[in-house]
Amino acid sequence: MTSPDSQSPAPQPPEPRPGDRVHRSVPAIAGGVMLLGIAAWIGVDAVANGQGRTPWLALAVLLLVAPLVVAFTLRPAVYVGEDRLRIRNPFRVIVLPWGQVASLKSAYSNEVLTLTGTKYQLWAVPVSLRARKRARRREMRATAQARRQPGQDGGGALGFAAGRGGGTMSDGPVRAETDRIMDDLRALHQDRHEAASAQGEVTVRWAYEILGPAVAGAVLVLILLAAG
């Protein structure tokens, strides 16, 4: 009997739907664009000015490096729908109906855990310990300011929050952006995990459009290096 999140064979995952919310890492995208630009500049220079096998080696390295850069920077995304979570990681696409999700965890990485115990990392929603520290400092400053302000309903932090019409204190603790995203995912999972339309099997597809060129580039590099 095949488990709910069996990876082989896996049916073709559904494509993103128009109503899906999309989460991506802006710093990763910016870094990926910069790395691709540098690789292209070096590669073009090597092809134009290199001697002997150098141009061919440069092209092979580009064929290897470019897909990997795309995989780890531009490709990752999380598509959030009413019925399922679609995770596009560097080398796989995982579609998780909410009914198959057991929990969403945040520690040093953000992960989703299935009912069978399989974990999938959310590459597009990375944990930033620095952002968490900044959020904690903002919360501490807001709390200190609330205590210094004259209250309207009995003074103190509660009065300050009420006087501002629902400020930081009444909205709960200040959270880092990726932690807020995970809070939203947990809330949606809580609301939708028992819905009839949110049931089904977990599907996993390997990203052959990334793996194929990268493997071909690696093979060419090895051949060129072995040829001396």
Side-chain angles (χ1 to χ4, degrees), residues 82-83 97-100 191-201:
E82 289 294 316
D83 297 329
W98 287 117
Q100 289 293 337
D191 291 340
R192 298 292 298 169
H193 75 283
E194 293 183 354
S197 59
Q199 308 305 313
E201 293 188 354

Side-chain angles (χ1 to χ4, degrees), residues 12-18 20 79 84 86 88 93 95 205:
Q12 180 72 17
E15 294 302 314
R17 300 171 184 172
D20 287 354
Y79 299 86
R84 86 283 187 271
R86 186 178 189 270
R88 194 171 69 188
V93 177
V95 177
R205 179 179 67 85

Side-chain angles (χ1 to χ4, degrees), residues 44-175:
V44 169
D45 181 70
V47 170
N49 302 315
Q51 303 295 325
R53 281 190 293 267
T54 299
W56 296 106
L57 184 60
L59 289 175
V61 171
L62 280 177
L63 186 60
L64 168 63
V65 170
L68 296 179
V69 172
V70 171
F72 286 99
T73 59
L74 306 182
R75 175 180 168 81
V78 173
Y79 299 86
V80 183
E82 289 294 316
D83 297 329
R84 86 283 187 271
L85 188 67
R86 186 178 189 270
I87 305 168
R88 194 171 69 188
N89 280 344
F91 301 118
R92 294 187 297 180
V93 177
I94 306 104
V95 177
L96 296 160
W98 287 117
Q100 289 293 337
V101 174
S103 62
L104 293 114
K105 296 184 177 181
S106 298
Y108 293 103
S109 65
N110 289 317
E111 300 173 335
V112 56
L113 180 68
T114 69
L115 295 178
T116 59
T118 305
K119 292 181 181 180
Y120 298 105
Q121 186 174 347
L122 304 180
W123 279 80
V125 188
V127 168
S128 173
L129 298 180
R130 181 177 300 178
R132 285 180 177 175
K133 291 179 180 179
R134 287 199 300 265
R136 193 174 300 115
R137 288 196 296 268
R138 288 198 301 269
E139 183 180 0
M140 292 174 62
R141 287 197 297 267
T143 302
Q145 183 179 4
R147 291 173 177 171
R148 290 195 300 268
Q149 294 290 332
Q152 296 184 3
D153 296 319
L158 292 178
F160 172 71
R164 293 190 60 177
T168 301
M169 295 300 294
S170 64
D171 290 339
V174 178
R175 303 278 281 166

Side-chain angles (χ1 to χ4, degrees), residues 181-224:
I181 292 173
M182 293 299 290
D183 291 341
D184 292 341
L185 294 180
R186 292 187 186 99
L188 185 57
H189 168 242
Q190 184 67 27
D191 291 340
R192 298 292 298 169
H193 75 283
E194 293 183 354
S197 59
Q199 308 305 313
E201 293 188 354
V202 177
T203 59
V204 179
R205 179 179 67 85
W206 288 96
Y208 295 108
E209 65 275 15
I210 295 292
L211 294 171
V215 171
V219 170
L220 288 175
V221 169
L222 291 176
I223 292 174
L224 290 170

